[in-house]
Amino acid sequence: MQKKLQLVNPAAATLPALAVLTLVFLLTSRRQHPSIDTYRSALPSSTSVVHRPPPGSSTAAAARVPKGCDIFRGEWVPDDDGGALPYYTNLSCPLIQEHQNCMKYGRPDRGFLRWRWRPAGCEMPRFDAEAFLDAVRGRSLAFVGDSLARNHMQSLMCLLSKVEYPKDLSTNTSSEFKTMHYESYNFTIAIFWSPFLVKANQSETLWNLFLDEPDESWTAGITAFDYVILSAANWFTRPSVFYEGGRVVACHYCHFPGVPDRTLRYSLRMAFRAALRVLTGEGRFNGTVVVRTLSPTSHFEGGEWDKGGDCRRTRPVAANETRMAGLDLDFHTAQVEEFEKAKKEAAAAGSSARMVLMDTTPAMLQRPDGHPSRYGHWPHENVALYNDCVHWCLPGPIDAWNEMLLQMLLPDPV
C-alpha cells in the first residue's frame, strides 16, 4: 500500500501521496469569464496611473529587519493597522492566473487577507515595490520549478504592479515559460517550467527521471541571470523510474521485478543535488542561488483530495498547534541538507555563486486558510483539482514570500 502523508493538523485525515501524483498539477489555464468582484465593496481599487521613475533615479532606502533576525521563524499576527488591506486585488492586477484568483471566483471570507508574518524577535517591513525594483535595477531573476514557482512569480508581479507593469517578452503563449521586462528599471524576470529540475519524460503512467542529468530547459540559459530561485517538491510523489548513468537504478511505486524501491525522498534529494551542482560547479554561474523550501503538501482535511478533502479554514493556526511531519518533513530535510552540502562544496571549490536558503515552509505550514479551495473556478466547471489546497490565493499569504525575498536581495548596508 502507498504510504500516506501526515497532515499539518494531526487530527485531520491523511492524504495519500498517490492521490497527489495524478492530478494535482494538471491544472491548466482556462478562458476568462466575466464576473463581479465580490470584494469590490470591501477593498479599494488601485489607481491606473503607473509611476515610472526616470532612469538612474533612486528610491528611498528600504526598511530592513535588524541584523541577526531570522525572518523564517515566527508567527502570523492580525494586521489591524493601515496595512490590513491587501497590496493589490484582482481589479488592480491582471496577472493572476485563473485558478488562484479567489476574489474573482467568489471566496466569501476576507479574514485570510488580514494577517501579517511577524518573525520571532523583529517586525517584517511591508513590501516596498519601488525599493524592490531599485534593488534589482539592471538585473535579472529566474524562477525554476513547478506551478508553485509560477504562483510565486505572479505574486511578485502583482506586488510590483503598484509601480510598473512589465512588458511580455515571451516567445510563446505558454504560461510555463514566460519572460517579463520592467523597462524603467531594466529588470527581467522569467519562469522556467521544470517540476523535477532534472531531465524527465512520461511513459504511460510512469515518469522516467534521470537524476544525474539536469533539465536543459532551464540550464541552457541560466548563466545569463543574476538570481535563480530553485523550488520543487510535489511532482516527486508520482510513480517514477530512476535513472543514473543512463541505466535504471531504482523506482518509486513501479512494481518492476528486480528493481528496488528507493522512495520518492531519494529522487527529490538526488535531483536537487544535480541541479545545485550545475549552479555551483566549475564557475558556470556567478550570481545568487536561492533555494526555496517546499510549500506544504499536507493541508487537505476531511478526506483525500478526490474524496471530499478540502481546506476551509478561515484563519491561520498558531505555531504551537502544528508541526512539520510526514512527507513535508522528509522533503524539507532533504532540501536543507542538500543546500548545506552544496554550499560547502561550492566554498571548497572557490565557486563565485552566492547561495541563500529561503526557508518558507515553517511559515506556510501555519496557513491552511490561504488556498483557493473551491474558489479557483466556477461551481459548474469540471476541473481536475476541484478543491485546491496546493496553490495559494492571490492576493494571499504567498505575498509574504516576496517580503522575505526583498530582505534577502537588499544590498548590505555601507
Side-chain angles (χ1 to χ4, degrees):
M1 291 291 293
Q2 175 72 11
K3 292 183 179 179
K4 294 186 176 181
L5 308 185
Q6 295 183 12
L7 294 177
V8 171
N9 178 356
T14 56
L15 171 66
L18 184 57
V20 180
L21 60 88
T22 306
L23 292 174
V24 163
F25 287 97
L26 295 182
L27 299 175
T28 56
S29 297
R30 299 184 294 280
R31 70 177 184 274
Q32 299 289 327
H33 296 269
S35 68
I36 297 174
D37 176 24
T38 58
Y39 285 63
R40 186 187 301 272
S41 61
L43 303 177
S45 58
S46 295
T47 175
S48 59
V49 177
V50 177
H51 171 61
R52 292 178 180 271
S57 66
S58 178
T59 62
R64 298 174 180 267
V65 296
K67 186 176 181 180
C69 178
D70 184 353
I71 62 175
F72 305 118
R73 299 295 183 274
E75 61 181 343
W76 295 90
V77 297
D79 195 358
D80 296 325
D81 59 17
L85 294 176
Y87 291 106
Y88 57 91
T89 72
N90 61 325
L91 294 179
S92 65
C93 181
L95 304 168
I96 302 173
Q97 194 152 354
E98 287 292 277
H99 44 266
Q100 281 99 56
N101 199 337
C102 303
M103 290 183 172
K104 172 179 175 177
Y105 291 106
R107 178 165 174 164
D109 64 294
R110 296 183 292 276
F112 77 102
L113 296 172
R114 299 181 181 273
W115 297 84
R116 62 185 176 87
W117 176 245
R118 175 189 284 169
C122 71
E123 296 288 336
M124 176 69 79
R126 282 181 61 81
F127 186 85
D128 185 332
E130 289 192 47
F132 186 97
L133 286 167
D134 199 53
V136 296
R137 186 187 297 273
R139 300 186 182 183
S140 54
L141 168 65
F143 292 85
V144 178
D146 54 25
S147 56
L148 283 157
R150 185 168 63 238
N151 205 177
H152 187 182
M153 174 174 164
Q154 289 167 344
S155 165
L156 178 59
M157 290 192 295
C158 283
L159 290 166
L160 297 179
S161 66
K162 183 178 181 180
V163 174
E164 181 170 324
Y165 290 107
K167 181 178 181 179
D168 191 341
L169 301 182
S170 309
T171 57
N172 59 63
T173 59
S174 171
S175 62
E176 296 179 351
F177 296 91
K178 284 286 185 183
T179 302
M180 312 295 286
H181 185 65
Y182 292 82
E183 294 182 322
S184 298
Y185 293 86
N186 190 25
F187 171 56
T188 301
I189 58 175
I191 179 72
F192 292 88
W193 173 259
S194 185
F196 297 106
L197 303 181
V198 293
K199 178 182 175 182
N201 59 61
Q202 190 172 18
S203 176
E204 297 182 353
T205 60
L206 291 173
W207 281 86
N208 300 304
L209 306 185
F210 299 83
L211 298 178
D212 55 355
E213 299 182 39
D215 183 3
E216 291 184 356
S217 68
W218 67 270
T219 61
I222 205 65
T223 57
F225 288 84
D226 297 291
Y227 308 100
V228 176
I229 301 180
L230 287 180
S231 59
N234 300 71
W235 278 64
F236 288 91
T237 59
R238 298 171 179 235
S240 306
V241 180
F242 307 151
Y243 295 78
E244 293 180 31
R247 63 183 184 86
V248 175
V249 295
C251 72
H252 166 62
Y253 212 80
C254 72
H255 304 302
F256 287 170
V259 178
D261 188 340
R262 284 189 176 173
T263 81
L264 45 87
R265 285 94 169 155
Y266 175 82
S267 58
L268 176 135
R269 181 182 292 276
M270 298 306 293
F272 264 86
R273 185 174 299 178
L276 288 170
R277 281 178 175 169
V278 168
L279 295 169
T280 60
E282 302 177 4
R284 284 174 285 189
F285 182 71
N286 298 319
T288 299
V289 180
V290 179
V291 173
R292 182 182 60 74
T293 57
L294 78 151
S295 184
T297 65
S298 53
H299 280 166
F300 284 93
E301 296 183 74
E304 300 173 5
W305 73 272
D306 58 346
K307 297 179 181 178
D310 203 352
C311 39
R312 300 186 185 182
R313 299 195 186 212
T314 57
R315 59 184 294 125
V317 296
N320 62 1
E321 294 176 336
T322 185
R323 62 186 178 88
M324 200 180 304
L327 193 62
D328 285 343
L329 178 60
D330 291 344
F331 276 178
H332 183 266
T333 299
Q335 289 173 336
V336 173
E337 288 179 352
E338 289 305 315
F339 169 83
E340 295 294 346
K341 177 182 175 67
K343 187 174 182 179
K344 290 180 181 178
E345 291 180 349
S351 171
S352 55
R354 175 176 176 250
M355 297 191 64
V356 183
L357 184 68
M358 188 176 185
D359 193 5
T360 57
T361 310
M364 305 314 285
L365 281 170
Q366 302 174 39
R367 295 306 307 266
D369 60 318
H371 301 288
S373 178
R374 67 190 64 185
Y375 302 108
H377 54 83
W378 299 118
H380 65 273
E381 288 187 279
N382 183 19
V383 297
L385 189 64
Y386 192 84
N387 296 328
D388 184 354
C389 305
V390 176
H391 303 92
W392 301 94
C393 291
L394 294 178
I398 193 175
D399 293 326
W401 293 5
N402 290 307
E403 292 176 336
M404 297 171 180
L405 183 63
L406 172 55
Q407 295 297 316
M408 296 167 67
L409 298 186
L410 287 173
D412 294 332
V414 177

